[in-house]
Amino acid sequence: MTETTDDLSLRDVVAALERLYPLDTAQSWDRVGLVSGDLDQPVRRIHLAVDPTLAVIEEAKQAGADLVITHHPLLLRGIHSVATTTAKGAAVTELIVNDIALYCAHTNADVADPGVGQALAEACGLSGTQALEITEGQELGRVGDLPEPLGLAEFARRLHEALPRTAGGVRVSGPADGTVRRVAVLGGAGDSSFEAVRASGADVYVTADLRHHPALEAREEASLTGGTPYLVDAGHFASESLWLPGLASRLVTELGPAAARLEVHVSQVRTDPWDFVLGAAAPEHTQGDHA
């Protein structure tokens, strides 16, 4: 690939990403930043996705992408081989063989302003939000008020319409006609933040990956204090994919005139791992099946 004086380099794009999502704002356990690529290689096409799966990498390759930016890290935990006998090894090999750089912005994107939390808050109909909690000195999650109260089923229906379609849809715990005004959100897995949610006074908590015991205990505690917060599990992939269009816009703006020849695309691959669901129940007191 021949570089011209008009080409952006990977170094330029990485510098812009790290201005938007500083590495030192990531949580201490996280692994963010550049995973593969030569900082001097030209970048003309960027592919954005939630997960660096083999399907996403193949999509990027077919699109002629020079750089893939994902939310979730490829190498969060230590590995001892990149042989193609494993999925991670095959992913690393595909990236390197095809001269595709990979960059991950994870918890540093979660805590950014705007970031993953604001994107989910906007999908819920919130504006003017504040941090749900402070973790390692960084604001995590958002909490705010709806312009007007909604029934829980209607609130969940509107959120469902704003999210990408997944097999699991949106799971809800609480009465369909329960009143929702104050909303707490945390994209991705959020069942470790119930204490902060209760302290926020939220009527409903929108997050993902709610496990049986933490969710059941949260609802049991709520039954002693008026029934709230209700719970909405929006799905991990769906709740975080909302950030990608904003990332595209912010990155182009940050790069300024140098981005004039840059193409930025959001992946169409659904990296939610589930394919179908049987026996889902629709909410009471609503018309139609929004499961």
Side-chain angles (χ1 to χ4, degrees):
M1 185 179 293
T2 302
E3 185 173 2
T4 73
T5 55
D6 294 329
D7 283 330
L8 281 166
S9 70
L10 179 58
R11 187 185 310 276
D12 297 326
V13 180
V14 166
L17 286 166
E18 293 180 359
R19 289 193 297 271
L20 294 171
Y21 311 107
L23 298 181
D24 61 3
T25 63
Q27 298 293 287
S28 58
W29 51 265
D30 205 2
R31 297 292 180 267
V32 297
L34 189 63
V35 177
S36 68
D38 180 342
L39 286 171
D40 293 323
Q41 72 185 73
V43 174
R44 299 177 185 132
R45 294 180 181 87
I46 299 177
H47 212 62
L48 310 181
V50 175
D51 299 281
T53 64
L54 290 168
V56 165
I57 294 169
E58 177 63 24
E59 182 189 44
K61 182 175 77 172
Q62 293 301 321
D66 306 299
L67 169 63
V68 175
I69 303 172
T70 63
H71 184 48
H72 292 140
L74 176 63
L75 305 175
L76 181 60
R77 296 176 179 84
I79 61 172
H80 305 286
S81 169
V82 292
T84 57
T85 51
T86 68
K88 290 191 184 297
V92 170
T93 298
E94 280 294 296
L95 290 166
I96 293 174
V97 167
N98 291 285
D99 291 325
I100 301 173
L102 174 64
Y103 189 96
C104 303
H106 190 210
T107 53
N108 50 332
D110 288 332
V111 304
D113 183 10
V116 175
Q118 282 87 349
L120 181 56
E122 289 173 9
C124 291
L126 304 177
S127 60
T129 59
Q130 61 193 53
L132 173 63
E133 60 182 325
I134 306 297
T135 303
E136 295 188 15
Q138 302 296 327
E139 295 187 351
L140 188 64
R142 309 303 299 172
V143 61
D145 296 322
L146 296 170
E148 59 182 11
L150 292 173
L152 178 60
E154 176 62 15
F155 170 80
R157 184 193 69 78
R158 294 186 186 187
L159 176 59
H160 177 253
E161 290 300 314
L163 294 169
R165 296 295 178 266
T166 59
V170 173
R171 298 189 299 169
V172 183
S173 181
D177 59 355
T179 300
V180 172
R181 180 62 180 266
R182 190 159 178 80
V183 181
V185 305
L186 181 59
D191 62 16
S192 63
S193 297
F194 282 123
E195 183 176 345
V197 173
R198 283 189 284 268
S200 75
D203 301 308
V204 65
Y205 179 35
V206 179
T207 187
D209 291 356
L210 290 174
R211 295 169 295 168
H212 175 85
H213 292 296
L216 182 60
E217 290 171 6
R219 294 299 294 139
E220 286 283 276
E221 292 295 331
S223 71
L224 302 177
T225 56
T228 58
Y230 309 129
L231 305 179
V232 173
D233 189 320
H236 200 126
F237 162 79
S239 67
E240 294 184 327
S241 66
L242 297 169
W243 167 67
L244 297 177
L247 166 60
S249 177
R250 292 193 74 206
L251 182 56
V252 168
T253 299
E254 185 67 24
L255 288 166
R261 297 179 64 245
L262 183 67
E263 296 180 22
V264 183
H265 302 281
V266 175
S267 172
Q268 298 303 301
V269 175
R270 184 198 70 189
T271 57
D272 183 89
W274 306 108
D275 292 312
F276 62 89
V277 172
L278 301 177
E284 297 177 357
H285 312 305
T286 60
Q287 297 296 317
D289 181 4
H290 302 294

